Amino acid sequence: MTDDSSATTPRNQPELQRSHLAFPVVGLGASAGGLEALIEFFGKTSPTSGMTYVVVLHLSPEQESTADEILQRVIKMPVLQVKVRTPIEVDHVYVISPSLHLTMNDGHLNVEPADRPRDRQVAVDLFLRDLADIHRERAFGVILSGTGSDGALGLQRIKEQGGITLVQEPADAEY
């Protein structure tokens, strides 16, 4: 696997600033079968864990996502779909809109239009790399059900920065 930074670095991104947030941020990436895996994950997560959760799903950018509404039915903490620059708060769940690219910097989630072809999914990697570089040892990366390799480079970066990485047991994943 090669590290093609030019293929995974968004244009016009401001210089990354180390996070001032004192709590862990968990980046969760998933695609096929991911919504079911997220429901199971959050069903076992305390609403007062002292962490923040950011969900990046591979969904069709042509359709409005209702993932935030579906997850809110089973999660006992606020669930927000990120469509504009949003401050990160503890014990919240943030879901990226499928038509946007998500980055993290200076205690905020930032969005910009996604301009990648559907066959070149790297949204999870892009976010996890930002998370690793900004939040370092307080970064957690979790990859759930899906196909492809998006998320692998992001998990590697989180490990390099002293964070924690987890993947769903392949036998338990739908895909």
Side-chain angles (χ1 to χ4, degrees):
M1 188 179 318
T2 61
D3 182 5
D4 183 1
S5 296
S6 65
T8 58
T9 302
R11 288 175 270 150
N12 303 323
Q13 182 172 342
E15 184 176 332
L16 298 178
Q17 299 175 14
R18 183 144 187 201
S19 176
H20 65 278
L21 302 174
F23 48 86
V25 176
V26 180
L28 295 118
S31 62
L35 199 53
E36 294 81 9
L38 285 163
I39 289 169
E40 185 174 340
F41 175 88
F42 283 113
K44 297 175 181 167
T45 302
S46 169
T48 56
S49 66
M51 299 181 176
T52 293
Y53 304 88
V54 181
V55 176
V56 182
L57 288 169
H58 289 167
L59 299 171
S60 171
E62 289 82 35
Q63 288 187 306
E64 187 66 29
S65 172
T66 59
D68 58 325
E69 295 169 16
I70 293 167
L71 291 174
Q72 186 64 81
R73 292 183 205 137
V74 297
I75 298 175
K76 294 177 175 53
M77 61 184 115
V79 178
L80 305 165
Q81 187 176 88
V82 180
K83 294 183 179 181
V84 296
R85 181 176 162 89
T86 304
I88 299 170
E89 297 183 54
V90 70
D91 294 325
H92 280 64
V93 177
Y94 300 94
V95 180
I96 182 61
S97 171
S99 62
L100 299 172
H101 166 72
L102 181 68
T103 61
M104 176 183 173
N105 200 4
D106 191 28
H108 288 78
L109 296 170
N110 304 301
V111 292
E112 59 187 48
D115 60 354
R116 298 215 174 270
R118 186 87 176 122
D119 63 343
R120 181 73 168 108
Q121 292 288 351
V122 293
V124 177
D125 272 329
L126 290 171
F127 177 73
L128 292 181
R129 288 171 139 197
D130 280 357
L131 177 61
D133 292 342
I134 292 168
H135 219 54
R136 301 192 183 182
E137 69 278 354
R138 290 185 316 279
F140 287 66
V142 179
I143 301 297
L144 299 172
S145 183
T147 60
S149 62
D150 187 20
L153 293 174
L155 289 181
Q156 180 180 344
R157 178 75 59 85
I158 288 174
K159 286 181 79 169
E160 290 168 356
Q161 297 288 0
I164 295 174
T165 60
L166 303 164
V167 296
Q168 184 175 7
E169 179 68 41
D172 293 338
E174 188 173 338
Y175 293 91

